[in-house]
Amino acid sequence: MATTTTTTTNLSALFSNSSSLSIDSNNNKPSLHFLQKTRFLPQNPTFFLPHKQIFTVSSKNPISDFFSHKEIYPDASFLIHDDDDDDKPREECGVVGIFGDPEASRLCYLALHALQHRGQEGAGIVAVNNNVLKSVTGVGLVSEVFNESKLDKLPGESAIGHVRYSTAGSSMLKNVQPFVAGYRYGSVGVAHNGNLVNYKTLRDELEDNGSIFNTSSDTEVVLHLIAISKTRPFFLRIVEACERLEGAYSMVFVTEDKLVAVRDPYGFRPLVMGRRSNGAVVFASETCALDLIEATYEREVYPGEVLVVDKQGVKSMCLMPHREPKQCVFEHIYFSLPNSIVFGRSVYESRYTFGEILATEAPVDCDVVIAVPDSGVVAALGYAAKAGVPFQQGLIRSHYVGRTFIEPSQKIRDFGVKLKLSPVQGVLAGKRVVVVDDSIVRGTTSSKIVRLIKEAGAKEVHMRIASPPIIGSCYYGVDTPSAEELISNRMTTDEIRDYIGCESLAFLPIDSLKKNLGNDSQNFCYACFSGKYPVEPTEHKVKRVGDSKDDGIYGKFELIDGGWVQAAPKKVENAL
């Protein structure tokens, strides 16, 4: 069951610890809270993996050289994942904003359902009614956080919503967005998809000047920057704040009379604009959200653009000088739904083509093509069609397995995978099987899947991966492990093949990926495949081993502060 509370207060503090609040701009009363956080600094990035002896990392990714590789974790048991969904990159957030519809909060609720795949740890909606911003947030799925009575408490013609995983900040209730802040000129709510690479620097500066933070989310920095800005009107405060930000952000803001959408100059994360038949303007992370609420897709919010919506219409302005876009290519590989249009391209068509490329460049004699559901299905269809081999459902996914489960006292091997995936023996027995998946991260789940298929009687298993090898962590709003945990960062393709136990393994070549993207190829970010970052983490920080597993609900309290560690300074070569 979702964790929510419903209270209403008036305050001008940047945040309240309650999960439901309202701010009346005519009666702001300060109420400040402060949470002292404990930092946990792990040492010694050598660790255990299932079925492997302890080893020391050899990295292909230069940013991971910030780590020392000479010592051993005293306790590496936390690296063994019971939840096999952790062996995928996770999109961190989905956002939606609606202006000019009398059922704005209910439409937000439906749009968040459509974006549920982008975040399943928390959800929230802020609606505006009679110049009052009211918020309801909770931990859990959208259907668990909201019901009829909660939506009845969110009247008004404008609203923003958010679903989340966590990158910077844990998923404790106080970190669930949208956030609402009161400042001397009014109130503002914000929902953010992305990650700020200079968050710590900005937070330290703000705290030195007296700002008090209530969360461990990087989004809170944005509201503090807006609050201290002296520019007017309001949207210029947003512009001024965003000029200080580095990294990825697609954000929607709501005030008493405006809805504002903004996207960072590189356009890392998607954000689209649509319109309903009654003229209501809608912003969302993906077009699938527009489809559900019968809004017509108009266009993307351009990188570096600020769109201001009020009763006078929609105004567009440039946030800052244009840079070459660096849109996240993983939106087309894994994150977005196949029925979405992302960065102006059909996700379905992209994945289908990736499968065709694999069939052309990495053919193998086989009897059947299957997918690792659900994200591998479209690429598998493309592979099967190009190879002239039948596609069948060899693995059936259960959609009713929660995060936690009770295992019998007599341990079952690969229990987590078997709960989620069931092999179809009639499809697999005695067959040479091609298995198409979207990516390999740690490799732990892939090895279990191969074993599961072989136990069902498959004669051969050939893995085909519809993405290039992942060798770098993401710093732009995707929950990836540290570079040390990425199997492609420390093993060759042949070594990975032996590790996961298949007869052959092939990845989508990055050159073929770029060729398929054509003239747009230079507009995408490939940092997770190359280790070359469009915006370097300016604070010289890297993700630590085990970081992506902490969610703030089930993890250790010491890990609450966002999973960052101070990196060693870069070595400077002797000029002589």
Side-chain angles (χ1 to χ4, degrees), residues 92-374:
E92 296 317 318
C93 303
V95 300
V96 62
I98 299 173
F99 185 92
D101 196 291
E103 292 193 295
S105 65
R106 291 175 183 269
L107 292 173
C108 252
Y109 164 77
L110 293 174
L112 292 178
H113 265 293
L115 298 174
Q116 187 74 84
H117 59 286
R118 299 185 74 89
Q120 299 163 27
E121 292 180 355
I125 294 174
V126 172
V128 182
N129 187 46
N130 296 327
N131 290 333
V132 176
L133 276 64
K134 185 165 185 181
S135 168
V136 174
T137 61
V139 174
L141 301 176
V142 174
S143 60
E144 297 170 331
V145 173
F146 295 99
N147 54 33
E148 191 76 22
S149 64
K150 286 190 173 73
L151 292 173
D152 286 341
K153 296 173 182 176
L154 295 171
E157 294 190 354
S158 58
I160 60 173
H162 191 269
V163 289
R164 81 184 306 261
Y165 285 122
S166 55
T167 39
S170 71
S171 289
M172 296 172 68
L173 182 57
K174 64 189 177 62
N175 285 318
V176 178
Q177 298 181 37
F179 292 154
V180 179
Y183 66 109
R184 60 178 176 168
Y185 295 118
S187 308
V188 58
V190 60
H192 170 208
N193 177 23
N195 208 50
L196 306 179
V197 300
N198 63 336
Y199 155 66
K200 182 63 168 56
T201 298
L202 291 174
R203 177 165 175 158
D204 287 347
E205 175 188 319
L206 288 163
E207 287 182 326
D208 286 345
N209 290 322
S211 293
I212 297 176
F213 283 75
N214 241 15
T215 78
S216 56
S217 170
D218 56 348
T219 309
E220 187 175 0
V221 163
V222 181
L223 288 179
H224 280 277
L225 291 173
I226 290 172
I228 66 173
S229 172
K230 300 187 186 310
T231 60
R232 299 185 72 176
F234 170 76
F235 72 85
L236 291 179
R237 290 173 173 260
I238 294 177
V239 171
E240 185 174 82
C242 289
E243 287 175 344
R244 300 286 313 280
L245 307 179
E246 296 177 12
Y249 52 90
S250 287
M251 296 185 284
V252 287
F253 297 84
V254 68
T255 68
E256 294 86 353
D257 61 350
K258 288 180 176 61
L259 177 68
V260 181
V262 59
R263 195 167 166 212
D264 70 79
Y266 290 95
F268 286 110
R269 308 255 62 86
L271 190 61
V272 297
M273 173 180 161
R275 200 179 299 263
R276 282 174 49 82
S277 59
N278 63 358
V281 176
V282 182
F283 298 104
S285 294
E286 290 182 41
T287 58
C288 61
L290 305 182
D291 296 337
L292 181 58
I293 62 174
E294 297 182 333
T296 302
Y297 169 71
E298 291 193 351
R299 66 176 179 88
E300 286 188 288
V301 177
Y302 302 127
E305 184 180 24
V306 179
L307 284 167
V308 181
V309 186
D310 56 23
K311 291 183 178 180
Q312 279 68 52
V314 181
K315 302 181 185 68
S316 171
M317 64 202 70
C318 182
L319 177 65
M320 58 185 66
H322 289 287
R323 295 175 179 156
E324 186 175 64
K326 294 297 176 185
Q327 302 160 149
C328 176
V329 73
F330 238 95
E331 293 285 350
H332 279 266
I333 291 170
Y334 176 68
F335 298 135
S336 299
L337 286 186
N339 58 313
S340 284
I341 305 295
V342 176
F343 308 136
R345 307 172 70 95
S346 165
V347 175
Y348 187 98
E349 291 178 7
S350 292
R351 292 180 188 170
Y352 193 91
T353 304
F354 297 159
E356 291 181 317
I357 294 171
L358 281 169
T360 301
E361 302 203 13
V364 66
D365 291 334
C366 62
D367 303 307
V368 65
V369 176
I370 71 170
V372 177
D374 294 314

Side-chain angles (χ1 to χ4, degrees), residues 443-468:
T444 52
T445 298
S446 297
S447 64
K448 296 172 185 178
I449 289 172
V450 170
R451 187 159 54 238
L452 195 67
I453 293 170
K454 288 191 172 183
E455 288 174 352
K459 186 192 301 184
E460 298 175 4
V461 178
H462 303 273
M463 291 289 292
R464 295 295 180 266
I465 308 303
S467 72

